[in-house]
Structures are given as C-alpha cells and as structure tokens.
Amino acid sequence: MKKKMYFIIFGANGDLTKRKLLPALYNIKNKTQNSPEIIATGRRAYTTKDYINETKEPVSSFLKQDYDKEKTEEFLNAIEYQRIEFNDKETFISLKDFLSKQNNIEDIDIIYYLATAPEFFETVSQNLREAGLTESKNSVRRAVFEKPFGRSLENASKLNSSLSSVFSEKNIYRIDHYLGKEMLQNILFIRFANCIFEPLWSKNHIESIEIISEETQGIGTRGGYYEESGALKDMIQNHLMQMLSLIAMEPPEKINAEHIKAEKLKVFKSMKLYDKNPEDCIIRGQYTAGEINGKKVPAYRDEEKVSKESMTETYVSLKLRLDNDRWQGVPVYMHHGKRMPRTGSEIRINFKSCSCEGYFEKMPQPNILIIKVQPDGGIYFRINAKEAGTENSIIPISLDYCHACQNIGNIPEAYEVLIKDSLEGEKMLFTGWEELKATWQFTDTISEAFKTDKIKMNFYKAGTKPE
Ligand code: BG6
C-alpha cells in the first residue's frame, strides 16, 4: 500500500494557490486514487474554517467546468490550515508537532510547495531543515519551487547552493508551468512521431523560427515583483526559452528526463544574440495608457507599486541565433509583451521559399508550421495548391487542427500535470539547475545591454505593439 502523503503549501493565501494549485489538486483528487492530504500555510492567523471560507469562492470560480458543489466542499473541508511565519522557527516546529500528532513522521511522504516570493525560498527551506522536516530515511521529502528562480546567474547560483544544502537535486523541483502545457509536451510528438519533419528541420529548409507570447493583460497587482523582473526575466528567460529548446534540440537518445534535459541544455548553451551589437537585435518597450477591448487601461507607470520613472520593460523582442551545426545562420525571434492587442502564444516555423520560378503564374508562398500553444492549442500548416477553376494559379491553403476543440474536457491544466508529476517523482517537466544556469547566463547579457542607453525604451500605447 502507498504511504500517506502530505502536500504542504507555503503562500497559501496567495493568488496562485487559489487560482491554480487548489483547482489542480481538486482535479487530481477526483481523477486518482492516491491524492495527498493538503496543509495550507500562511502568515495570517486564520483557523482552518476561516481559510476554507475565504477560499471557497475563488476556488469554485477557477474550477470552471470542473466545478461540482458537493465535490468542491468535500475537497476544501479536508484542507488543514497552519499559521507559518517564515522567519519564526517556532511556527515550523508547530507544523512538525501537528504532523507528528497524527502520524509517525518517518512513515509519511511530504511534498513542500513554495508558492511564495523567491526571497523566502531560503528561509523556508532552512527553517524546515532546522525543524527536522527535510530528511527521512524511509520517506520522500521533496520541494517544489515556483518561478522566478533567481534574478541573475549570480543570484540564482547563491539561491541554488543554499537550497542544495537542504534538499538534494533529486528532490528539488523547479517549476516552469509552460512545460506542463499540453502543446509544449506535444512538440516532442509532432517532431519525432512524424518522420517527414526531421529531414527538413534545419538551416537547409527553415528560414526562421519565431517564439511569440502576447497578453492583453497588464501586470495587475504584481507591480512590486514586476519592477524587479520585467518582461525579460518574467517570460523570456523561462517560458520562451523552454519553448525554443524543445523546438531546436537534437533528437534525444530516449524520451526521458535525462536525455531530453541533456539535449535542451545544449540548445541553451548555444544561444547568442544574432548580431554583434546588441542594439541591432534587442527591442524593448513599456506600455502607456490605452484601450483594451474597448476599456481604458492605465500606463505601466501608473500601476500599483510601480515607480513613476520606471524603466522596466513590459515588451521585449529579440533576434538570436543558435551556434550549432543544425541551426547556423537561422534567425530565432522571440517576442513577448503585456497589454498587446491580443492574447496568444505560438511557435512559427517559417520554411524557405521553393526554387520553382517559372512553373506557376505566381510564386508560391513559403510553407509555415505553427504550433499554437494557447488560447486554443493546435497545429496549423500552410501549404500551396491549385486554385479551383484555374489552369495555373496557385493559392495557399491551410491544414488547421484544433487540439483543444477535439479534446474538450480531456486536457489537464499545466499545474495539474506538474503537481501530479511532483507527487509521482517524475522530473521530466521540471527545470534542472544546469538548464537554469545556461538560461541565466544568456539573460544576463541582455540585462547588461539594457543598462546601457543604447537600447532605447519604446513607449507603446496599451492595445498596440511597439513600432
Ligand atoms: C507567468 C508570468 O509565469 O506566466 C506572468 O509571471 C504571465 O506574467 C504568465 O502572465 C503567463 O502564463 P499563461 O499560462 O497564462 O500563458
């Protein structure tokens, strides 16, 4: 029989817990036999009853079509709340006492989920260790850390050494929730289960690669965090680079965590700015007041906890290259921005034009393969065909597959996939330290370029794109 497992959330009063973690745990409970006992911890002096009352409304609304009144109540009523003050060691000892009262602590598995601001990762981990909650001869002690993992290579390295003194690498799970998205997992299938693509997948047939993520939303109440991070560290260093690595890596020897991570790492290490001068391949922007879907929205500088003189970027566009044989010379464009005209993430593989001059009335348009990550995951492929009723006229046609529409109700949210993997000890969809090191190293070169005045800030109206 499986051991009893506890899932202990730090930062349980935060948005992420209510919007993503608890709905994911609810779905896991309803789909599997072995769901963990949940302990929600936070600084607020709530009773368990207060916490459940407070959480009921947001969790129910984020469950959307999965909401079932009875099941939601049963799920929430099983949560325990414990007050934890990150700097107060005694509160960690109380947590241990609580666990010991109900169990022989050596016989239970524990997953810690740190949905806190990253500056608390070290304190929480060290206090867990001092309370005797991080080691066990017989049972699992894993820790899941939310992003961002560090703010630079130096800072992430310090953080990593400190966490490594508490948990072994095997037990550290660094989240990049994009890796849990269905269409990112699908990249491996699209690339390696269709052997027609592999011979085309290189500089010989591909003109450029674009990794795009646009959001109509602004930064909401996260001004404090975003001022430190900006678009570069919030999205490019992690989600967009992860998308690129899956698209550009060599076929791994086997589809498992070890081999995939090894290939992804080679991609991260090969990333370079396309041109010698950073200003020729980096654009940054910040949104000013504007309109989104007919509604007026404030400028970034007028958002809560944002400086009136802020030079933090809410838009970044990069032109990179991968310094390896397969991709030599192929430009890779990455674009991410907040308060854009639309919300969507996709990967565009732009193929080279055919050398078929003189065959047809018009030149055919180059083929494009688009992996649509969201809002509706799917695959789009543009090819050319004869225009009906003509003799020699060509038109582009599309093969457009909507993965999300075909699988309504069957596609788990990224957090559900990742939490389930963390319970099962499956690390393929988590970021390894070596990967992070390489992505930070490259990101640092862009942050350095931002510090010079060569890369001008493009102020763009919310709801538009920077020029
Ligand atoms: C988070 C960023 O990691 O990803 C947010 O901190 C961003 O700023 C979010 O909005 C986007 O995630 P998704 O899944 O909505 O595309």
Side-chain angles (χ1 to χ4, degrees):
M1 204 181 97
K2 279 221 169 176
K3 278 190 189 149
K4 187 165 172 189
M5 182 176 264
Y6 280 86
F7 191 88
I8 304 183
I9 306 173
F10 293 88
N13 290 308
D15 233 30
L16 181 77
T17 301
K18 293 173 190 166
R19 281 191 313 129
K20 300 285 183 188
L21 307 185
L22 293 178
L25 284 158
Y26 163 91
N27 281 327
I28 291 172
K29 182 174 162 70
N30 291 326
K31 289 182 194 169
T32 55
Q33 301 292 326
N34 292 306
S35 70
E37 308 282 322
I38 301 166
I39 301 182
T41 78
R43 272 179 276 192
R44 292 187 200 157
Y46 278 159
T47 61
T48 289
K49 203 163 160 234
D50 295 336
Y51 183 75
I52 294 171
N53 283 339
E54 177 86 354
T55 316
K56 206 174 270 171
E57 198 282 314
V59 170
S60 308
S61 69
F62 285 110
L63 278 172
K64 297 181 197 142
Q65 78 268 15
D66 296 321
Y67 176 71
D68 173 292
K69 189 167 183 280
E70 222 170 276
K71 285 185 183 162
T72 308
E73 272 175 17
E74 192 195 326
F75 166 77
L76 290 174
N77 287 337
I79 296 177
E80 288 287 347
Y81 183 82
Q82 284 283 304
R83 193 183 149 266
I84 289 272
E85 181 64 60
F86 299 148
N87 288 312
D88 180 356
K89 294 183 181 159
E90 287 304 315
T91 59
F92 287 79
I93 293 170
S94 310
L95 174 65
K96 184 176 183 187
D97 291 344
F98 174 80
L99 290 165
S100 309
K101 255 190 227 147
Q102 322 203 349
N103 313 277
N104 175 355
I105 203 151
E106 275 299 309
D107 289 339
I108 52 170
D109 289 338
I110 310 178
I111 315 290
Y112 302 107
Y113 195 109
L114 281 83
T116 68
E119 55 267 32
F120 300 117
F121 289 174
E122 270 187 80
T123 317
V124 171
S125 303
Q126 298 292 352
N127 283 341
L128 282 171
R129 184 181 59 178
E130 285 182 31
L133 281 167
T134 55
E135 274 171 43
S136 164
K137 285 202 190 72
N138 318 325
S139 305
V140 163
R141 302 285 183 261
R142 286 182 200 128
V144 185
F145 297 95
E146 255 304 323
K147 77 163 255 288
F149 197 90
R151 304 217 184 278
S152 64
L153 176 58
E154 191 188 346
N155 170 282
S157 303
K158 276 196 198 132
L159 172 63
N160 198 56
S161 337
S162 167
L163 301 183
S164 304
S165 69
V166 180
F167 297 100
S168 62
E169 177 67 19
K170 186 174 107 210
N171 291 320
I172 297 181
Y173 286 62
R174 301 176 196 82
I175 287 257
D176 181 316
H177 79 278
Y178 265 55
L179 292 175
K181 288 191 189 274
E182 177 78 1
M183 288 310 293
L184 262 75
Q185 294 174 63
N186 213 337
I187 294 174
L188 295 181
F189 293 77
I190 297 166
R191 282 193 61 192
F192 305 125
N194 297 294
C195 48
I196 55 163
F197 285 132
E198 183 54 20
L200 304 179
W201 214 255
S202 73
K203 61 187 178 207
N204 298 331
H205 296 279
I206 292 177
E207 182 70 34
S208 65
I209 299 174
E210 292 172 84
I211 316 276
I212 302 165
S213 143
E214 298 176 331
E215 296 174 7
T216 51
Q217 65 176 15
I219 49 120
T221 53
R222 299 195 307 153
Y225 152 75
Y226 204 84
E227 278 284 86
E228 294 278 318
S229 107
L232 176 69
K233 298 180 189 174
D234 184 45
M235 292 290 290
I236 303 253
Q237 179 268 334
N238 33 74
H239 307 326
L240 275 77
M241 289 188 186
Q242 287 291 340
M243 289 197 249
L244 172 64
S245 69
L246 291 165
I247 284 292
M249 71 181 179
E250 293 298 318
E253 205 178 304
K254 289 195 182 124
I255 300 284
N256 65 22
E258 182 196 342
H259 291 98
I260 292 178
K261 280 177 191 302
E263 292 308 333
K264 282 168 58 186
L265 180 59
K266 290 184 201 157
V267 176
F268 295 133
K269 286 188 169 169
S270 74
M271 292 186 297
K272 302 269 181 310
L273 284 177
Y274 197 85
D275 296 307
K276 206 162 124 243
N277 296 327
E279 60 274 25
D280 295 335
C281 38
I282 306 177
I283 300 174
R284 63 170 161 165
Q286 188 190 84
Y287 62 82
T288 58
E291 239 180 57
I292 300 270
N293 300 329
K295 236 179 103 192
K296 286 202 177 2
V297 294
Y300 175 70
R301 288 179 175 181
D302 291 328
E303 302 272 20
E304 225 176 273
K305 300 198 197 127
V306 170
S307 150
K308 293 283 176 224
E309 281 96 50
S310 175
M311 284 301 279
T312 300
E313 78 290 349
T314 58
Y315 174 88
V316 178
S317 176
L318 302 176
K319 184 179 180 188
L320 321 177
R321 63 190 173 88
L322 300 176
D323 193 6
N324 60 31
D325 188 45
R326 184 184 284 255
W327 297 111
Q328 210 58 259
V330 178
V332 174
Y333 299 95
M334 285 187 180
H335 314 282
H336 164 67
K338 300 249 184 243
R339 291 290 191 220
M340 296 274 104
R342 60 153 209 151
T343 291
S345 303
E346 63 193 32
I347 301 165
R348 298 170 79 97
I349 312 290
N350 299 307
F351 288 89
K352 294 196 167 173
S353 303
C354 320
S355 49
C356 51
E357 216 157 317
Y359 281 17
F360 310 106
E361 267 173 14
K362 278 191 297 192
M363 278 294 281
Q365 293 195 15
N367 302 112
I368 304 183
L369 175 69
I370 304 179
I371 299 175
K372 297 190 278 186
V373 176
Q374 56 195 33
D376 296 320
I379 306 163
Y380 168 99
F381 194 30
R382 183 172 79 191
I383 59 171
N384 292 290
K386 176 177 172 294
E387 186 172 6
T390 67
E391 270 181 25
N392 194 18
S393 189
I394 208 162
I395 49 160
I397 57 164
S398 55
L399 309 179
D400 202 353
Y401 164 68
C402 173
H403 189 65
C405 320
Q406 302 275 328
N407 295 287
I408 292 170
N410 278 336
I411 300 185
E413 274 246 14
Y415 274 97
E416 185 182 327
V417 174
L418 295 173
I419 291 179
K420 189 159 172 284
D421 280 1
S422 76
L423 303 179
E424 290 168 2
E426 170 54 63
K427 287 197 83 178
M428 186 156 102
L429 302 178
F430 292 84
T431 318
W433 168 239
E434 289 302 319
E435 293 172 69
L436 266 172
K437 217 161 108 183
T439 53
W440 274 123
Q441 201 149 19
F442 181 64
T443 305
D444 279 358
T445 59
I446 304 165
S447 304
E448 284 306 310
F450 280 175
K451 288 185 194 150
T452 68
D453 56 5
K454 287 193 179 144
I455 309 200
K456 302 273 174 272
M457 184 64 85
N458 278 279
F459 291 94
Y460 60 98
K461 230 171 120 178
T464 68
K465 284 191 192 180
E467 303 273 292

